[in-house]
Amino acid sequence: MGVPCSAGATCGYSAIESGIRCTCDPSGHYFCDPWSGGGAPPSSACDMETACNEGGGGAGNGGPCSRSNGWCTRSCTCAGCELECTDNPPASEEPQGVLCNLDYCSSDFGTYGRCEIKDGTCDYMVDCLDAQKITGTCPDSN
């Protein structure tokens, strides 16, 4: 959330029934949304569905909600969502993220999951299930 990215970039990580999906927002920073399903606890997503309380995930009693990465803020009601971005950096928030390498597989969250990133020439996935393998490459990273 808030990490710089290039236009069209995506990333995410997942466990058995929950995770995070991120896309590059117009300000050039990742905007991430949690998701959950099945027996997982509700996520704190803010989208039209949660604002209408149809999915119940995180909006509690429904109604308007907002989510920010420090650069852009998405505000949602049952009628739709709007994204407003600013050129001003966040006051003191550090970007938050997960390192997507084989160490992810030994974390509590990643044991049965995966992480992936598609950003410029970087396009790879770490799959923790079964063989714990990396697919693709990321020549821009160290």
Side-chain angles (χ1 to χ4, degrees):
M1 193 70 148
V3 173
C5 53
S6 58
T10 61
C11 68
Y13 60 92
S14 62
I16 296 174
E17 292 184 359
S18 62
I20 300 286
R21 291 184 191 111
C22 305
T23 56
C24 196
D25 68 28
S27 77
H29 298 86
Y30 280 113
F31 196 98
C32 304
D33 288 301
W35 62 269
S36 62
S43 64
S44 59
C46 177
D47 55 23
M48 199 168 88
E49 182 180 354
T50 56
C52 292
N53 201 31
E54 292 173 10
N61 57 3
C65 61
S66 66
R67 183 168 181 81
S68 175
N69 66 355
W71 299 88
C72 295
T73 300
R74 182 177 56 223
S75 301
C76 298
T77 66
C78 197
C81 297
E82 291 183 8
L83 186 67
E84 183 177 329
C85 299
T86 175
D87 290 334
N88 299 322
S92 62
E93 288 184 35
E94 289 292 319
Q96 298 177 11
V98 171
L99 190 58
C100 187
N101 60 21
L102 286 176
D103 290 342
Y104 176 74
C105 296
S106 60
S107 69
D108 289 341
F109 191 72
T111 304
Y112 299 103
R114 72 178 190 199
C115 57
E116 58 192 305
I117 185 167
K118 293 179 183 176
D119 192 347
T121 59
C122 190
D123 185 351
Y124 74 94
M125 177 179 71
V126 174
D127 189 348
C128 301
L129 205 53
D130 299 326
Q132 294 188 2
K133 63 182 179 183
I134 296 176
T135 306
T137 61
C138 191
D140 294 351
S141 67
N142 296 326

